[in-house]
Amino acid sequence: MKIFIDFDDAIFNTKAFKKKFIGVFRKHGVSKEDFDKSYKDYPTVVKKNISKYDPRMQIKVLEKRLGIEGKKLKRDINKFLSGTDKFITSDVLPFLKKFKKRDLFLITYGDAYFQKIKIRNCGIRKYFSKVIVTDKLKAEEIARLADNVEKETFVFIDDRADQIESVKKKFPHCATFLIKRKEGRYNDKRTKHVDFEVKNLTEAGKIIGDIAK
């Protein structure tokens, strides 16, 4: 049974990551207020009220706005991004090791440059059959990537109820999981499109095991 799982806030502690990430900017004279104002203050793709973040574009904005040394900031950001493994939650590897690589798909919305670096450096790429970073709806990517997905039962795990809704509407037979971690940034309410609400991947793994029997 194929399992499609989101990255940010599903297997990656994005809240803790962002706090440390902002700290890199602060060392270069960028206040939290200036970081927030420039975070997505440039043209970006928006889907389902979610816009892509690109640190390279943000640095360009800050160079013009504050006169910072962009090359030095970019160097320190790359150094910071080399250690993203520390932001993978403790339940992730046991969950991934329970299933076959051919059945695991990582699917995340965002900027390809930034997301791929985060994913590559956190050491989980080897557990997935495919890693998809997209600016399209996840339901569209699932339809494109998985053979016979319209006929098979599959699992979709995400922390956003609207993403789950779009997938469930397109594939009513799939099993949807809303993961609500205590450290997550969002607190979406369970809807009729959510089959299971879980606090972590340990809970999700047990339910998936029962479904697969």
Side-chain angles (χ1 to χ4, degrees), residues 11 93 96-97 99-106 119-131:
I11 63 179
L93 292 184
L96 297 178
K97 290 175 180 178
F99 304 100
K100 295 180 180 179
K101 179 177 180 177
R102 70 186 183 196
D103 294 327
L104 290 170
F105 298 78
L106 184 64
I119 293 166
R120 183 182 69 236
N121 292 341
C122 69
I124 59 169
R125 176 64 183 85
K126 63 184 179 181
Y127 295 101
F128 290 92
S129 173
K130 291 183 180 178
V131 172

Side-chain angles (χ1 to χ4, degrees), residues 17-25 35 53 55 77 80 114:
F17 168 82
K18 188 174 180 181
K19 183 177 180 180
K20 295 289 186 180
F21 186 65
I22 292 173
V24 178
F25 283 75
F35 178 90
Y53 169 68
I77 286 174
F80 170 73
F114 190 54

Side-chain angles (χ1 to χ4, degrees), residues 33-48:
E33 182 181 4
D34 285 326
F35 178 90
D36 290 339
K37 286 181 179 179
S38 60
Y39 186 57
K40 292 179 181 176
D41 193 12
Y42 46 84
T44 183
V45 176
V46 178
K47 291 285 179 67
K48 285 286 185 179

Side-chain angles (χ1 to χ4, degrees), residues 15 37-38 54 67 88 99-101 108-109 112 134 146 169:
K15 185 176 181 179
K37 286 181 179 179
S38 60
D54 186 342
I88 294 295
F99 304 100
K100 295 180 180 179
K101 179 177 180 177
T108 177
Y109 183 88
T134 182
K169 283 182 175 180

Side-chain angles (χ1 to χ4, degrees), residues 54-66:
D54 186 342
R56 298 168 300 180
M57 294 295 290
Q58 185 181 17
I59 289 171
K60 288 181 179 180
V61 171
L62 290 168
E63 282 179 320
K64 293 179 180 179
R65 191 170 294 173
L66 302 179

Side-chain angles (χ1 to χ4, degrees), residues 171-189:
F171 308 105
H173 59 281
C174 75
T176 56
F177 288 72
L178 176 65
I179 185 165
K180 297 181 68 171
R181 294 185 180 278
K182 62 180 181 180
E183 64 270 27
R185 295 172 297 164
Y186 307 104
N187 188 31
D188 286 5
K189 293 183 179 179

